[in-house]
Amino acid sequence: MNPNILSLFQLCDSNLPTGGFSHSYGLETYIQEGQVHDQATFAKWLRVYLNEQLIYSDGLASHLVYEALENNDFQKIWKLDRMLTVQSLPRETREGTQRMGERMLSLVEALYDVPVLAEYRKRIKEKKSFGHSSIVFTIIGHHLGVPKSTTTLYYLYSAISSLIQNAVRAIPLGQTAGQKTIQEFQQELVRATEKIQDLDEADFGITSPGLELAQMKHERVNIRIFMS
Amino acid sequence: MENWTGTLRLDVEERQGKTVAKNVYFQGALKVMRPVYHDDSGQACYYILNPGGGYLDGDRYNLQFSLKEKTKLTLTTQSATKVYKTPNQHAYQETEFILKKGSYLEYIPDPLIMYRNARYKQKNVIRMEQGATLIYSDIITPGWSPDGEQFSYDQLQLMNEVYMDDELVMYDHIKLNPAEQDMKAIGFMEGYTHLGSMIVIGEQTNADLLDRLYNSMSHDENEYRMGLSMLPVKGFTIRVLANKTQTIERLFTECHQIISEAWFNTKPSFLRKY
């Protein structure tokens, strides 16, 4: 048994202070409009968010960054950092993920000594790179020797479970409904990770019109508890 | 694979305040008409034609436009782009735009109409220098089928890449698979039928312009749903979900007018097609 699994699991904890609790990725627009109002309507949105946006951005990036690390192809990592940032057309989502990426980087730098992290930090400081949690998380997964697909699966789990926690507060849902949604999505996450294994760079950044439009509209939502 | 169904190349330069062709070349199922000058600004307008009347199984089109310093160019199509059924191989179009410093491009094609069982892939690559200006728009309709069924095409994939001084600054990737996805559902087309996209990049972009554009709209969600957002460079994108081509055209024309007035103190020309 690989004891490092627990070390990566530490980064999936929703208490990890990266600021995930302040982003809804457009969910808040749907809540305000009444389109998402209970566990069933939330799960429907979450399924589309996972399968039509997250796997082609953060999920595929994790997969490709892991491959690049195996090949010592650092230019590829910096390229993916830029692609992850510029494929996000809604400003709040783009700036939010960037801030979370930077915070996660600072945090893991205190826990691990990995040269590529220091290089990433330097590039961000020089404004050559932007910062993204999916890349930081994958660097640690690779460093700990956790297999590629497991690293992607854990990353997706952390992103989705954090969104479920946010939905519990915002819709609001009961704690039990939240846990039921987490349970219901475990199989979805495995399927999403399997699908990512068959994707390549040509699939990068695919998004779905409604999801993206709701993320853009969030900028103009009047009363808000989330920054995106 | 260089066997294109149609190729088109147009390079423009500025001569005594007027934008003129330096090089025009076309072959196969693509051509451009002689330029039209709508006013005395020197801005040239070219209409792109597909003499075949539509894109067929396995068709491949390649277009290249190059704008030298200080040129002003409008590009549009003469009519909607139709993609017919593609039983063997998807139809494909790639277009490259090169915008030198101080040049100005308006690319306003007519809507895309996908027929039953059609598959189409389109890639636009825009390479700009700092100080160039871009106004781009496109409209995707729910397509056409003999029995009036909407979204009867199989797959549509649109990619837009914008580079500023060789750095990727925007990457837009829409892929719709009506055969597998519920287009009416949350996150997809959400009950609307038409999707419009507008990309505007120009150094004069600021938050105030976005507020003005947003506030000039009625936001009647029975008619359309709209989002707009700033890019990481000086520019922004607009997405519109609506039920008619005309609704999106009206909104984009209004936006175009506000931008032209704010940036150049001019009014955009009406693009007469018939």
Side-chain angles (χ1 to χ4, degrees):
Chain A
M1 212 179 156
N2 183 354
N4 289 345
I5 285 264
L6 276 183
S7 304
L8 189 59
F9 205 70
Q10 185 185 355
L11 303 188
C12 300
D13 195 314
S14 56
N15 284 323
L16 195 79
T18 56
F21 57 85
S22 44
H23 293 280
S24 87
Y25 307 102
L27 172 65
E28 190 169 34
T29 311
Y30 290 115
I31 295 174
Q32 293 249 336
E33 291 171 351
Q35 293 192 62
V36 169
H37 52 83
D38 58 11
Q39 191 191 339
T41 47
F42 168 61
K44 206 169 173 200
W45 173 81
L46 192 61
R47 205 164 285 125
V48 178
Y49 174 73
L50 170 66
N51 292 307
E52 306 299 336
Q53 191 175 67
L54 197 64
I55 63 167
Y56 298 110
S57 51
D58 302 28
L60 181 53
S62 166
H63 180 74
L64 296 172
V65 165
Y66 200 105
E67 270 178 6
L69 287 162
E70 287 176 318
N71 300 327
N72 281 316
D73 183 359
F74 298 111
Q75 284 313 312
K76 185 69 181 284
I77 301 173
W78 315 138
K79 185 187 170 192
L80 286 161
D81 168 84
R82 176 167 280 275
M83 285 178 80
L84 265 174
T85 307
V86 303
Q87 61 82 32
S88 184
L89 304 185
R91 180 183 55 79
E92 291 180 340
T93 301
R94 183 177 64 242
E95 293 178 355
T97 54
Q98 205 176 326
R99 225 169 291 134
M100 284 169 61
E102 269 195 76
R103 278 213 215 165
M104 191 175 207
L105 180 56
S106 302
L107 196 73
V108 301
E109 268 188 307
L111 306 178
Y112 298 97
D113 187 16
V114 189
V116 65
L117 288 178
E119 176 68 14
Y120 200 11
R121 156 76 55 212
K122 187 165 164 269
R123 289 185 61 93
I124 293 170
K125 207 175 162 197
E126 289 167 356
K127 298 201 183 304
K128 287 181 187 159
S129 289
F130 300 90
H132 200 287
S133 332
S134 159
I135 294 180
V136 177
F137 191 97
T138 305
I139 290 172
I140 299 302
H142 176 261
H143 173 73
L144 292 169
V146 175
K148 183 166 61 180
S149 61
T150 311
T151 301
T152 304
L153 178 66
Y154 278 28
Y155 177 79
L156 293 178
Y157 176 84
S158 73
I160 291 297
S161 65
S162 146
L163 252 173
I164 294 172
Q165 300 294 346
N166 291 348
V168 165
R169 282 190 291 135
I171 294 176
L173 298 176
Q175 288 295 345
T176 309
Q179 291 305 318
K180 276 186 175 165
T181 312
I182 293 181
Q183 187 189 38
E184 182 189 326
F185 268 77
Q186 288 164 6
Q187 209 43 51
E188 287 279 346
L189 291 170
V190 171
R191 268 199 297 271
T193 307
E194 281 165 3
K195 190 174 173 193
I196 290 167
Q197 309 308 307
D198 299 328
L199 300 178
D200 61 37
E201 214 179 307
D203 301 300
F204 193 85
I206 292 173
T207 190
S208 181
L211 285 179
E212 189 192 55
L213 209 154
Q215 289 165 355
M216 289 182 170
K217 279 197 76 140
H218 188 266
E219 288 176 31
R220 310 266 166 186
V221 164
N222 285 329
I223 309 157
R224 37 202 265 154
I225 60 172
F226 296 110
M227 289 161 72
S228 79
Chain B
M1 245 173 90
E2 288 298 312
N3 49 331
W4 301 105
T5 314
T7 53
L8 169 61
R9 194 187 162 115
L10 170 66
D11 303 336
V12 295
E13 63 180 1
E14 189 252 7
R15 255 184 249 158
Q16 289 154 353
K18 199 172 168 187
T19 297
V20 296
K22 186 170 182 250
N23 176 30
V24 193
Y25 168 84
F26 47 83
Q27 195 182 36
L30 276 178
K31 66 186 267 192
V32 282
M33 300 202 291
R34 291 173 60 81
V36 178
Y37 293 89
H38 288 291
D39 52 37
D40 57 7
S41 68
Q43 181 163 334
C45 175
Y46 279 89
Y47 289 81
I48 304 161
L49 267 77
N50 172 227
Y55 291 10
L56 305 173
D57 195 27
D59 274 6
R60 293 160 48 78
Y61 297 88
N62 179 283
L63 301 91
Q64 273 179 290
F65 302 96
S66 166
L67 285 77
K68 295 268 181 283
E69 284 84 356
K70 291 195 266 179
T71 53
K72 287 180 278 186
L73 179 66
T74 303
L75 290 172
T76 185
T77 47
Q78 206 193 28
S79 58
T81 299
K82 300 179 193 75
V83 183
Y84 298 111
K85 67 175 181 213
T86 58
N88 301 305
Q89 175 76 33
H90 66 262
Y92 176 67
Q93 174 180 288
E94 64 177 41
T95 309
E96 185 182 47
F97 303 90
I98 295 170
L99 279 69
K100 294 288 179 197
K101 192 179 162 72
S103 65
Y104 172 75
L105 173 68
E106 291 170 355
Y107 180 64
I108 305 169
D110 285 285
L112 178 62
I113 302 175
M114 302 276 290
Y115 280 58
R116 174 174 279 174
N117 299 128
R119 283 169 301 153
Y120 178 57
K121 189 169 164 179
Q122 176 182 291
K123 184 172 177 174
N124 294 320
V125 179
I126 300 158
R127 300 183 193 279
M128 306 176 68
E129 283 183 357
Q130 204 76 242
T133 306
L134 169 75
I135 295 184
Y136 165 98
S137 69
D138 66 42
I139 299 173
I140 305 169
T141 70
W144 192 89
S145 72
D147 54 13
E149 187 201 347
Q150 292 178 330
F151 300 108
S152 63
Y153 60 87
D154 287 340
Q155 190 175 86
L156 169 60
Q157 188 176 5
L158 303 181
M159 285 169 280
N160 290 314
E161 292 174 16
V162 182
Y163 295 83
M164 180 71 81
D165 292 338
D166 299 322
E167 286 273 38
L168 185 67
V169 294
M170 190 200 119
Y171 190 76
D172 173 21
H173 196 169
I174 293 274
K175 192 174 179 183
L176 300 176
N177 290 293
E180 294 164 24
Q181 297 165 331
D182 177 7
M183 301 309 289
K184 286 191 168 58
I186 190 166
F188 293 97
M189 296 294 285
E190 303 184 343
Y192 295 96
T193 52
H194 292 61
L195 173 66
S197 304
M198 192 167 189
I199 306 168
V200 179
I201 296 176
E203 278 179 348
Q204 300 180 68
T205 304
N206 55 32
D208 179 56
L209 177 70
L210 266 70
D211 289 344
R212 276 179 60 197
L213 291 170
Y214 188 84
N215 294 331
S216 72
M217 309 293 162
S218 67
H219 303 285
D220 174 2
E221 298 226 339
N222 291 319
E223 209 189 354
Y224 66 88
R225 184 169 164 85
M226 179 184 116
L228 80 170
S229 197
M230 204 74 99
L231 288 167
V233 287
K234 293 275 187 190
F236 58 95
T237 46
I238 305 179
R239 293 267 204 232
V240 181
L241 287 171
N243 294 316
K244 278 192 235 161
T245 291
Q246 290 82 353
T247 306
I248 302 175
E249 281 177 343
R250 193 192 73 224
L251 286 172
F252 284 174
T253 302
E254 279 171 30
C255 290
H256 195 165
Q257 274 170 3
I258 292 170
I259 297 162
S260 294
E261 268 177 38
W263 290 359
F264 311 111
N265 202 20
T266 57
K267 282 195 167 61
S269 300
F270 175 67
L271 303 175
R272 195 179 300 279
K273 311 256 166 138
Y274 308 103

